[in-house]
Amino acid sequence: MDLKKGEFLYEGKAKKIWASENKGRYIIEYKDDLTAFNAEKKATMEGKGALNNAISAYLLGYLNSKGVPTHFLEAVDERHQIVKAVKIVPLEVVLRNITTGSLCRRLGVEESLQLPRPLVEFYLKDDALGDPLVTEDHALLFGWATREELDTMKVLTLKVNDLLRELFEKHGIVLVDFKLEFGRTEEGELVVADEISPDTCRFWDRSTGDRLDKDRFRKDLGDVLGAYREIWRRLSTEEA
Ligand code: TMP
Ligand code: ASP
């Protein structure tokens, strides 16, 4: 597919988005920038964009192949993907299998507890407010999503969890939690959008407990890129 960038649309913390010559298609560029804590902590790591492009293309393509609709169409080079043009729903959907991160900070619950079933949370996508946790009623009353969309997002997020947990399990990795974004296509379909990568998931090595995700950056654990490379190495190696 042609990679002729059209109108520049948006620059986020880790990606840039352009329109393309093809109506209904966007071009996404994965940047080498890394941010945490609402961008209070920033770094650039050469090669991070290419790794996340590869990992995200693999995972979104995997979900497409399993019947979960996503915006992903094709990775065209080291940094770029072609995706369906969508309008992003202004909610981040977080699913947790194990307690950690902001859940433990906010509610004082113990770290690393296996939850009896997955927990799904909605956050408002608003950097100025620090992406606050919101209820479904907030989303409905302020028009961020409809009842049907909230239900679809929950069902799809649980399905993504089932699929990715099983996939990562085969590679010796525990899927601790992750964040999804959703978008509405021009045809009105609600699809998984944005990225799925070590920036947006927590991955723990099953045998060593090593953190293989952005927590290495958040918590200054060192060798951030080594962890991202390890995720890609395992995913791209046949012998699961
Ligand atoms: P949290 O524990 O910081 O709320 O994060 C939960 C999961 O969501 C974790 O896998 C990281 C991911 N996440 C993002 O992708 N973007 C964000 O802005 C935040 C806060 C979390
Ligand atoms: N991604 C968020 C940020 O850049 C927060 C985080 O991942 O810790 O602000």
Side-chain angles (χ1 to χ4, degrees):
M1 211 181 289
D2 194 9
L3 186 72
K4 191 124 187 289
K5 285 174 178 165
E7 186 194 351
F8 173 72
L9 297 175
Y10 176 79
E11 177 158 8
K13 284 174 277 200
K15 292 184 293 304
K16 292 184 195 172
I17 302 177
W18 284 266
S20 74
E21 286 188 320
N22 193 339
K23 197 180 164 303
R25 301 285 181 263
Y26 286 167
I27 295 167
I28 294 190
E29 177 183 327
Y30 281 71
K31 303 194 295 180
D32 284 340
D33 298 344
L34 219 65
T35 68
F37 310 119
N38 206 17
E40 274 170 40
K41 185 166 178 172
K42 286 187 206 169
T44 301
M45 294 188 189
E46 204 183 321
K48 200 267 301 192
L51 282 163
N52 272 4
N53 183 28
I55 295 167
S56 196
Y58 182 90
L59 296 175
L60 292 170
Y62 180 75
L63 294 176
N64 282 339
S65 77
K66 297 288 179 183
V68 174
T70 83
H71 72 157
F72 175 74
L73 293 168
E74 190 184 351
V76 279
D77 63 25
E78 278 228 312
R79 281 186 186 281
H80 295 94
Q81 287 180 14
I82 295 177
V83 299
K84 290 183 183 172
V86 297
K87 288 213 161 55
I88 292 285
V89 175
L91 296 170
E92 298 193 346
V93 187
V94 168
L95 184 144
R96 302 175 191 272
N97 294 305
I98 295 177
T99 63
T100 191
S102 73
L103 176 70
C104 295
R105 285 198 300 277
R106 182 177 302 109
L107 302 180
V109 295
E110 203 182 312
E111 275 275 343
S112 306
L113 290 180
Q114 177 74 51
L115 292 162
R117 61 178 171 80
L119 169 66
V120 178
E121 301 172 325
F122 292 98
Y123 292 82
L124 177 64
K125 260 176 77 68
D126 186 323
D127 285 339
L129 297 176
D131 294 349
L133 180 68
V134 295
T135 67
E136 293 187 25
D137 230 12
H138 289 138
L140 293 173
L141 287 167
F142 299 113
W144 299 322
T146 64
R147 176 73 269 160
E148 194 192 353
E149 287 172 334
L150 290 176
D151 291 343
T152 303
M153 288 193 280
K154 276 197 285 189
V155 168
L156 290 177
T157 301
L158 289 166
K159 187 152 181 215
V160 168
N161 186 49
D162 287 344
L163 289 165
L164 295 191
R165 243 172 120 169
E166 191 190 8
L167 176 72
F168 279 101
E169 176 65 27
K170 287 191 192 143
H171 295 286
I173 295 163
V174 178
L175 177 62
V176 174
D177 57 29
F178 62 88
K179 181 266 298 179
L180 294 181
E181 297 189 22
F182 288 84
R184 303 174 184 108
T185 64
E186 287 173 2
E187 292 79 38
E189 191 187 10
L190 195 64
V191 300
V192 175
D194 195 53
E195 68 180 282
I196 305 181
S197 73
D199 275 9
T200 65
C201 304
R202 285 194 176 96
F203 300 124
W204 293 355
D205 182 274
R206 189 176 54 216
S207 44
T208 63
D210 278 354
R211 275 39 178 173
L212 298 174
D213 56 63
K214 199 163 89 172
D215 268 355
R216 300 203 73 81
F217 174 65
R218 295 188 189 96
K219 300 182 174 181
D220 296 317
L221 301 176
D223 199 18
V224 178
L225 274 194
Y228 285 47
R229 245 181 251 119
E230 179 61 14
I231 292 292
W232 178 232
R233 189 190 70 74
R234 291 201 206 178
L235 285 176
S236 54
T237 307
E238 276 306 312
E239 31 92 9

